[in-house]
Structures are given as C-alpha cells and as structure tokens.
Amino acid sequence: MSYQLHVRLVEAKNLAKMDVFSKSDPYVVFTIDGTQKQKSQTKTNTQTPRWNQDFHFTINNIARQAIVINMYDEDVNADDHMASLTIQISSLPFGTVLDQWYDMIPAKRVKKGGQIHLVFHIA
C-alpha cells in the first residue's frame, strides 16, 4: 500500500550569508530514497526566503523511508551546500497536518544552518 506525503515549503530564517557582495540565493532539494527528487524555486538575495511551495511524494514504506532536505545557495559556477535535515517518515503523524519549524544542520564550513518552516501531511 502506498501513501501520499504532502510537503509545503513555507519559509526559512537565520540563514548563513553565503555570497561576498549579496546575501544568499537559497533553494531546497527534497529527496526520498535517492529516487524521488524535487527542487524548489530559487529566492534571490535573501536570508529569509518565503516559498509557499507544495511538493508531493509517493511513500511505499513508512517505517523505513526518510525525507532528506538539502538547502543550497545558487551561484554562477557551482552551487554551495548550505544546510541539511533528515526526517524519518515514521516520525510524522499519520492523517494529521504537522506545521513546524526545524533547525537545519549547517554544511561544512558554514557557520549556521538556520531554520526551515515545513508543513507535512501523510494521507
């Protein structure tokens, strides 16, 4: 039996300043099992981006699957990894909307990971 995981990427705050002449150009990549991958829009020159963007994933094994959230700073040459977060699908309440802020873990050589505001719903 498969389930639908709905994720709303609302906003983020307290992000690291990644660029020399401007703030950051953050975007988020959601990955489940390395096979399902979805990318948010990039928000330019901000440390407090607001996305209000929805993503949908098919979950086949609630007990063993996790959603991996990586935030990047978009650059001309190579995008910089800013922060990450892994959430076990089994830790999310089934059939209930979970609206919460999460602390992100900063990437190597990044001072702070910031917080991300996500809304989860498994149906």
Side-chain angles (χ1 to χ4, degrees):
M1 179 163 188
S2 63
Y3 302 90
Q4 286 298 308
L5 172 63
H6 305 280
V7 181
R8 171 168 282 172
L9 171 61
V10 181
E11 60 188 323
K13 63 183 179 182
N14 300 321
L15 301 183
K17 182 178 182 298
M18 299 296 289
D19 298 329
V20 176
F21 297 110
S22 64
K23 294 177 182 171
S24 295
D25 304 314
Y27 68 89
V28 175
V29 175
F30 297 98
T31 309
I32 295 179
D33 286 345
T35 56
Q36 298 185 67
K37 187 179 276 194
Q38 296 186 39
K39 177 183 178 282
S40 75
Q41 300 167 332
T42 300
K43 297 298 178 181
T44 55
N45 195 27
T46 181
Q47 287 171 273
T48 55
R50 294 183 70 81
W51 287 279
N52 283 314
Q53 208 175 337
D54 292 318
F55 301 89
H56 306 283
F57 300 93
T58 300
I59 303 301
N60 296 314
N61 189 334
I62 288 179
R64 282 204 230 123
Q65 289 181 294
I67 184 165
V68 179
I69 303 151
N70 283 293
M71 188 176 298
Y72 296 91
D73 172 45
E74 188 173 272
D75 286 326
V76 175
N77 295 332
D79 296 351
D80 299 315
H81 187 218
M82 296 173 69
S84 62
L85 175 66
T86 300
I87 298 172
Q88 296 299 319
I89 305 294
S90 60
S91 72
L92 302 173
F94 188 82
T96 306
V97 174
L98 179 65
D99 184 337
Q100 193 170 312
W101 283 92
Y102 294 88
D103 290 326
M104 304 229 9
I105 298 162
K108 288 180 182 167
R109 298 182 300 284
V110 177
K111 289 188 175 93
K112 59 184 178 177
Q115 290 83 38
I116 190 166
H117 183 188
L118 300 169
V119 179
F120 290 103
H121 182 246
I122 297 180

